[in-house]
């Protein structure tokens, strides 16, 4: 028998969760305050790019297992398990995460509940939030209605969201009662039996697993980037170094990619939120190194811009720079805290004329940075360029033919901000090739 599930918030996380729960066979109703978005989703149109997701959306809006609404009362009426998937962006007034959307979602839903229900948070929140929401749920529930709050953090990566949701590395269930565990095990039953590890924890541990995972990944990337700076100072090669480190099974090669650093809607804000949360708990001395991770990550953007200045003979004034890539990473049109666009904007401030091309993120990029020039093809971007910069390692950009581009550019100079290109083939084709932390 399927579970009746509601999903509150239809961004990258919520839309993916809703479609994947329908794919697992459940009856799903998804809610958002944004009526335009809900109308598009109900028509099977995904308002952002995520490989494979629109197909699932279409399949399950057609099958009737996935419905959309702008009525919270309808969620309460139809579903027994309610997943909160709204955003927790960085607060405008500091480093902490803004949990007001999560709280608002809970407070909007709970008074409508007329039978015992489980509310499951998936958003990334500071430790202690779930316990506080549990208390709020008790206070706002109608008399005689039992509402429990559980926490089930989501580890999906943009660009791989469907796969990460349907075949996760692990499932973490933060619960306060055996009943909540039973309900969640039932929801995830079809892949639990496929031997995905399930860890049942208290609420605080579940919240912290997510913050810790993202802080660890950010630290790992930054370690590679700091080594890249050391390699620049010594003539060593950070890619070979990372390969050699990666063969050590205790370390592993993934997330040792040096370049212009991490961005996106999660890693940067989660690192800061963890520091802020430690400060609020009176243990801010624990995370001095995360301050350095954050600073070193921002420094990467500066270092790459400095390299561009050097490549262009000491000044960028009047230089035409082809910026290949705008998304914060390949496989998405998300430009939140995108290192690529930050670099392009910095080039512009220094007097250059950056021309940006991204296979999927031109639209989102132009909305976030209206002063930058976006073009529809690589050819237009590189036309007459004094410097070409690879800023997001989309496969189609990594596969570019260096010989084919030669007669379009003004000067055959390329700066590989992601260490993704093959230096030899570019040099052999006649380019001056420079990467990050490579001789
Ligand atoms: C991240 C976590 O990986 C995911 O588990 C969590 O649920 C949400 O946050 P995401 O933001 O989609 O996912 O991106 P991720 O693939 O982690 O990449 C983050 C950033 O790190 C990107 O800007 C990427 O380009 C950069 N990165 C990644 C590197 O600079 N080097 C690497 O080796 C790997």
């Amino acid at each position: 028998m399927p579970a009746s599930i509601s999903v509150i918030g239809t961004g990258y996380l919520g839309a993916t969760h809703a479609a994947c729960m329908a794919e697992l066979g459940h009856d799903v109703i998804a809610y958002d305050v944004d009526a335009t978005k809900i109308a598009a989703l109900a028509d099977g149109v995904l308002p952002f790019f995520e490989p494979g997701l629109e197909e699932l959306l279409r399949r399950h809006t057609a099958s009737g297992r996935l419905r959309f609404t702008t009525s919270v009362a309808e969620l309460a009426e139809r579903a027994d398990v309610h997943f909160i998937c709204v955003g927790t962006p960085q607060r405008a007034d500091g480093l902490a995460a803004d949990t007001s959307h999560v709280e608002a979602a809970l407070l909007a839903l709970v008074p409508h509940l007329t039978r015992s229900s489980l509310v499951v948070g998936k958003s990334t929140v500071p430790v202690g939030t779930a316990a506080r929401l549990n208390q709020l749920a008790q206070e706002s529930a109608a008399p005689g209605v039992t509402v429990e709050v559980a926490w089930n953090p989501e580890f999906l990566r943009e660009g791989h969201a469907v796969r990460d949701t349907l075949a996760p590395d692990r499932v973490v269930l933060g619960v306060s009662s055996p009943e909540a565990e039973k309900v969640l095990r039932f929801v995830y039953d079809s892949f639990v039996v496929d031997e995905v590890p399930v860890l049942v924890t208290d609420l605080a541990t579940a919240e912290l697993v997510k913050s810790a995972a993202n802080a660890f990944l950010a630290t790992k990337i930054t370690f590679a980037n700091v080594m890249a700076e050391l390699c620049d100072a010594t003539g060593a090669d950070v890619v070979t170094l990372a390969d050699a480190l990666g063969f050590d099974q205790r370390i592993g090669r993934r997330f040792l990619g040096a370049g212009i650093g991490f961005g996106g809607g999660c890693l940067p804000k989660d690192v800061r939120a963890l520091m802020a949360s430690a400060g609020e708990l009176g243990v801010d001395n624990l995370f001095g190194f995360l301050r350095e991770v954050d600073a070193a990550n921002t420094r990467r953007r500066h270092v790459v811009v400095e390299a561009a200045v050097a490549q262009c003979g000491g000044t960028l004034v009047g230089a035409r720079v082809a910026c290949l890539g705008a998304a914060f990473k390949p496989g998405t049109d998300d430009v939140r805290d995108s290192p690529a666009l930050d670099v392009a904007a910095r080039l512009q401030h220094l007097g250059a004329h950056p021309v940006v091309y991204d296979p999927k993120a031109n639209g989102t990029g132009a909305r976030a940075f209206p002063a930058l020039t976006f073009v529809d093809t690589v050819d237009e971007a590189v036309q007459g360029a004094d410097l070409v910069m690879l800023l997001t390692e989309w496969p189609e950009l990594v596969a570019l033919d260096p010989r084919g581009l030669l007669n379009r550019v003004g000067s055959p100079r390329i700066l590989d901000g992601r260490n993704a290109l093959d230096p030899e083939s570019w040099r052999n084709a006649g380019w001056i090739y420079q990467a990050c932390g490579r001789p």
Side-chain angles (χ1 to χ4, degrees):
M1 209 181 72
S4 296
I5 287 175
S6 93
V7 174
I8 303 180
T10 57
Y12 289 93
L13 168 57
T16 307
H17 190 65
C20 288
M21 290 305 103
E23 176 73 5
L24 291 183
H26 300 306
D27 280 329
V28 183
I29 179 155
Y31 163 92
D32 204 290
V33 282
D34 183 340
T36 320
K37 203 191 239 182
I38 286 296
L41 288 164
D43 279 345
V45 178
L46 197 60
F48 52 85
F49 172 69
E50 179 61 43
L53 185 54
E54 198 164 74
E55 198 185 313
L56 279 195
L57 178 68
R58 293 226 173 103
R59 186 181 310 156
H60 295 298
T61 44
S63 73
R65 284 220 290 269
L66 177 55
R67 275 167 299 171
F68 292 91
T69 183
T70 50
S71 155
V72 183
E74 202 180 339
L75 303 183
E77 192 184 306
R78 292 188 184 274
D80 301 308
V81 189
H82 305 273
F83 285 93
I84 298 186
C85 298
V86 297
T88 51
Q90 187 177 334
R91 285 172 62 118
D93 60 356
L95 297 182
D98 176 359
T99 56
S100 62
H101 302 296
V102 179
E103 205 172 299
L106 180 99
L107 290 176
L109 172 73
V110 171
H112 288 285
L113 298 172
T114 53
R115 55 187 184 275
S116 294
S117 309
L118 185 64
V119 177
V120 189
K122 290 194 81 67
S123 313
T124 306
V125 291
V127 58
T129 306
R132 187 166 52 81
L133 294 181
N134 208 5
Q135 184 63 37
L136 274 180
Q138 311 314 315
E139 290 164 11
S140 49
V145 176
T146 313
V147 182
E148 183 175 339
V149 172
W151 221 260
N152 166 222
E154 180 56 59
F155 303 96
L156 67 81
R157 296 159 300 164
E158 288 176 25
H160 305 270
V162 171
R163 206 205 69 101
D164 284 353
T165 306
L166 291 176
D169 289 345
R170 77 300 212 184
V171 173
V172 176
L173 307 178
V175 292
S176 313
S177 74
E179 292 75 33
E181 176 186 343
K182 201 171 144 203
V183 169
L184 283 171
R185 279 191 185 274
F186 174 71
V187 167
Y188 291 127
D189 187 44
S190 41
F191 56 66
V192 169
V193 293
D194 287 343
E195 289 167 11
V196 173
V198 177
L199 293 99
V200 180
T201 75
D202 52 80
L203 295 177
T205 306
E207 293 168 308
L208 267 181
V209 172
K210 177 59 192 283
S211 305
N214 275 359
F216 187 86
L217 293 171
T219 305
K220 193 173 179 189
I221 296 167
T222 295
F223 184 83
N225 279 327
V226 170
M227 293 310 298
E229 288 179 38
L230 188 61
C231 288
D232 275 334
T234 58
D237 182 348
V238 75
V239 174
T240 312
L241 174 81
D243 289 343
L245 289 178
F247 281 116
D248 185 325
Q249 289 185 11
R250 294 166 303 173
I251 299 176
R253 180 63 173 84
R254 293 167 76 187
F255 280 71
L256 282 180
I260 57 174
F262 61 79
C266 296
L267 258 50
K269 73 134 174 119
D270 289 349
V271 164
R272 292 173 192 154
L274 187 55
M275 283 190 276
S277 157
E280 280 164 21
L281 293 165
V283 287
D284 45 356
N285 55 330
L286 295 182
F287 287 124
F289 74 95
L290 284 184
R291 225 172 289 278
E292 183 51 34
V293 165
D294 196 4
N297 188 56
T298 306
R299 188 168 69 231
R300 291 309 297 161
R301 304 170 184 191
H302 174 71
V303 166
V304 162
V305 170
E306 286 294 294
V309 172
Q311 283 258 24
C312 290
T315 176
L316 285 170
V317 174
R320 194 181 155 99
V321 184
C323 294
L324 302 184
F328 82 96
K329 65 170 190 179
T332 178
D333 61 357
D334 193 348
V335 297
R336 285 177 293 170
D337 202 350
S338 167
L341 286 179
D342 189 11
V343 166
R346 285 167 189 246
L347 298 172
Q348 193 175 43
H349 283 141
L350 292 173
H353 176 43
V355 184
V356 185
Y357 165 76
D358 189 284
K360 295 285 179 197
N362 274 357
T364 46
R367 279 196 287 284
F369 286 81
L372 289 172
T373 303
F374 290 82
V375 293
D376 293 334
T377 61
V378 172
D379 282 354
E380 284 170 86
V382 302
Q383 191 63 43
D386 298 295
L387 174 67
V388 177
M389 296 179 79
L390 178 72
L391 299 175
T392 311
E393 71 280 31
W394 285 94
E396 72 166 74
L397 299 177
V398 174
L400 284 172
D401 172 18
R403 285 183 203 282
L405 293 186
L406 256 191
N407 58 359
R408 295 197 163 267
V409 294
S411 307
R413 288 190 284 236
I414 180 142
L415 223 164
D416 181 356
R418 292 293 185 177
N419 287 350
L421 303 172
D422 173 36
E424 278 212 358
S425 57
W426 284 79
R427 288 193 178 119
N428 289 343
W431 288 76
I432 298 170
Y433 171 89
Q434 189 184 347
C436 303
R438 311 199 75 182

